[in-house]
Amino acid sequence: MAAINAVKIFSGSASNYLAKEIAKYYGKDLGAATTLRFSDGEMSPSFDESVRGCDVFIIQSTFPSADNLMELLLMIDAARRASAHYVTAVIPYFGYSRQDRKDRPRVGIGAKLIANLLTAAGADRLMTIDLHAGQIQGFMDFPVDHLEGTAIFIPYLKSLGLENLTFASPDVGGVVRTRNMAKFFNANMVICDKHRKRANEIASMQLIGDVEGANVILVDDLIDTGGTMCKAAQLIMDKGAKSVRAIVTHPVLSGKAYDNISNSVLTELVVTDTIPLKEECAKIKVLTVSELFAKAIGRIRDHESISSLFIKY
């Protein structure tokens, strides 16, 4: 019989590699769950142990395929129907977050739809890191713990001992994130202003600011094909920078991303393990978010503030 309000951590199929590490740092074994699949691909997740009266944390990033999202929703529903006391969806990479508004006629708002689905499934809380747009938190009708990747990236950057740092935003939308990093290091900031023809295709880009002789750090929340990042890196080097690195929380890395990065002027691309890499790349370094999420789970369990997990700028 499960202890009342005991914490139990489970994982969907796509994030099992990360969930094991989170559970390890938290100090518990990962809960037992099974996902049965019918021959046509339909799935039926179930918990192999009691969750009655427990605080359940279900870990699953919602990167493609859509099965990852559906499995998470079914697991939330299963936990609720099994009389869990409290269900937290831990979504390290919140898929569809780029669709946070109507940016052209006759399109859906994917991030809001996902929020509605989480509510309908029975989630009581969301824990995630570096949403594409912070205002997505307002789409939820329940508490959101929005962690920041800076808690992981800043110690790594400090360990490099680089001088004459300058931080760069690869687009106007990432200015706030980049400014916070620059403020922490008391460094300058520049902006790459881009114009897109269509998704994943850039028509033009120009640099606002001076990078002459600087070690430049590009900052972004996610990298998809790598087109923007690699073009920004080349532009920065052409303007006289000494080196250019990129720190990105979510390595979506689709299409020709790995080739783009390997053939770019980037010294390295530093990412986290919210999404597993599809292949090895000498220029990509992976930092783990597992300890950060484990600490956040502990603070939620103890009804403590998670603000101590944030870097003070």
Side-chain angles (χ1 to χ4, degrees):
M1 180 177 177
I4 300 299
N5 292 356
V7 168
K8 292 203 172 186
I9 302 173
F10 296 91
S11 174
S13 303
S15 294
N16 193 259
Y17 70 98
L18 179 57
K20 286 180 180 178
E21 292 302 310
I22 293 173
K24 177 182 175 182
Y25 275 111
Y26 183 79
K28 288 183 72 76
D29 292 332
L30 194 62
T34 302
T35 296
L36 299 177
R37 291 183 180 271
F38 295 93
S39 61
D40 66 348
E42 180 182 331
M43 60 192 135
S44 175
S46 62
F47 297 103
D48 299 335
E49 58 190 77
S50 175
V51 296
R52 183 178 296 273
C54 295
D55 290 342
V56 174
F57 294 81
I58 303 173
I59 302 169
Q60 178 89 306
S61 284
T62 54
F63 52 85
S65 70
D67 279 1
N68 295 332
L69 171 61
M70 192 65 196
E71 183 182 33
L72 172 65
L73 296 172
L74 286 168
M75 291 184 76
I76 293 170
D77 183 66
R80 177 62 62 212
R81 294 176 187 279
S83 302
H85 171 254
Y86 200 81
V87 181
T88 299
V90 181
I91 309 179
Y93 171 64
F94 190 92
Y96 294 87
S97 63
R98 285 174 283 187
Q99 300 179 43
D100 60 342
R101 66 194 186 282
K102 282 193 70 174
D103 57 354
R104 61 188 190 278
R106 298 174 296 281
V107 296
I109 302 178
K112 173 57 178 170
L113 175 60
I114 301 305
N116 291 344
L117 290 171
L118 290 170
T119 298
D124 294 298
R125 190 181 202 99
L126 168 67
M127 183 188 297
T128 188
I129 185 170
D130 284 350
L131 288 166
H132 188 62
Q135 62 267 27
I136 290 173
Q137 297 174 73
F139 291 169
M140 315 296 168
D141 294 324
F142 45 70
V144 178
D145 298 300
H146 187 208
L147 305 177
E148 296 180 355
T150 50
I152 298 162
F153 291 124
I154 284 178
Y156 176 74
L157 291 177
K158 290 172 70 174
S159 73
L160 297 178
L162 297 172
E163 298 180 351
N164 192 20
L165 278 177
T166 293
F167 288 85
S169 175
D171 54 41
V172 175
V175 167
V176 173
R177 184 182 297 107
T178 305
R179 183 185 293 121
N180 287 339
M181 293 286 285
K183 183 178 179 182
F184 180 88
F185 285 93
N186 193 27
N188 294 324
M189 184 188 80
V190 298
I191 302 170
C192 299
D193 184 29
K194 70 183 179 186
H195 169 66
R196 288 190 187 275
K197 284 184 178 179
R198 56 185 67 89
N200 299 125
E201 186 176 336
I202 303 168
S204 63
M205 180 181 286
Q206 61 183 1
L207 184 68
I208 304 172
D210 181 27
V211 295
E212 183 73 34
N215 289 302
V216 179
I217 310 295
L218 281 157
V219 182
D220 212 349
D221 64 304
L222 65 85
I223 180 169
D224 194 348
T225 63
T228 298
M229 193 66 70
C230 294
K231 189 164 186 174
Q234 184 64 61
L235 178 61
I236 288 168
M237 290 300 290
D238 291 345
K239 295 294 184 179
K242 184 177 180 181
S243 70
V244 58
R245 291 172 169 79
I247 55 173
V248 183
T249 307
H250 307 295
V252 176
L253 299 177
S254 65
K256 297 181 179 179
Y258 288 92
D259 289 338
N260 291 339
I261 293 163
S262 296
N263 298 325
S264 73
V265 297
L266 285 168
T267 300
E268 68 175 344
L269 168 64
V270 187
V271 301
T272 75
D273 54 356
T274 58
I275 302 174
L277 297 186
K278 301 178 185 71
E279 59 184 82
E280 293 293 323
C281 179
K283 286 192 175 184
I284 300 178
K285 180 176 181 62
V286 181
L287 305 178
T288 186
V289 297
S290 54
E291 186 174 5
L292 179 63
F293 274 94
K295 289 178 178 178
I297 290 172
R299 281 163 173 72
I300 291 172
R301 171 204 63 197
D302 298 333
H303 305 287
E304 296 177 351
S305 170
I306 65 167
S307 61
S308 61
L309 301 178
F310 300 148
I311 295 289
K312 302 296 188 294
Y313 303 112

